[in-house]
Amino acid sequence: MSMPSLLPPAIHPILVHFPIVLLPAAAILATFRNRLPWAAQATPLALVVAAVGALAAMVFGILEHEPWEELLNGTPQQPWLDNHKILGVATATVTTLLAFAAWRSRTNLFAGRRGSTWTLALWAATALVALTAWYGGALVHET
């Protein structure tokens, strides 16, 4: 008799929700930073947790991709998987770089003209995670 696993069969689908939720949250917080004084302080935390989630989702996506490769090999959905992998790596990279830059600044991210740049970067990262999620969702629900 074998011991049941404590881990679910696929961890990637659980982890992807951290960047899917927290990147838009960081962008919204950055957008309203002037109206909500605490939002400027909460933005880096949301971004760091999103980056950790994005990196973990990427790692487990790479580790768990083989059944999808076999299932979709030679099908019209194969490019969807390829796009999802490329966009997943890009999302994890961009999110991690933004989180690292936020951590390195150690000052108010939104001082002076930088505020608009940070807000725009967070919305761009949100668009990237949304596109990545679209491909992932299409793979799960359309195949």
Side-chain angles (χ1 to χ4, degrees), residues 4-5 7 13-14 16 25 36-37 42 47 55 57 63-64 74 79 101 107 111-112 126 141:
S5 173
L7 296 175
I14 296 167
V16 297
L36 305 170
L47 184 55
L55 285 171
L63 294 174
E64 298 170 357
T107 59
T126 296
H141 298 290

Side-chain angles (χ1 to χ4, degrees), residues 42-133:
T43 301
L45 177 61
L47 184 55
V48 167
V49 177
V52 170
L55 285 171
M58 180 190 72
V59 167
F60 279 95
I62 291 168
L63 294 174
E64 298 170 357
H65 84 284
E66 216 169 288
W68 288 95
E69 289 283 347
E70 292 174 13
L71 177 71
L72 299 176
N73 188 25
T75 69
Q77 288 83 14
Q78 177 66 43
W80 295 1
L81 181 61
D82 296 338
N83 291 340
H84 182 64
K85 287 191 293 187
I86 292 166
L87 291 168
V89 170
T91 299
T93 302
V94 167
T95 306
T96 301
L97 289 173
L98 287 171
F100 182 72
W103 175 77
R104 288 270 307 176
S105 75
R106 298 183 205 243
T107 59
N108 185 358
L109 293 179
F110 304 106
R113 300 167 110 183
R114 291 187 308 183
S116 298
T117 303
W118 269 102
T119 302
L120 182 61
L122 290 170
W123 281 112
T126 296
L128 185 59
V129 78
L131 185 59
T132 307

Side-chain angles (χ1 to χ4, degrees), residues 28-46:
I28 290 167
L29 289 168
T31 301
F32 293 104
R33 69 189 179 278
N34 293 329
R35 292 186 192 163
L36 305 170
W38 54 268
Q41 295 172 337
T43 301
L45 177 61

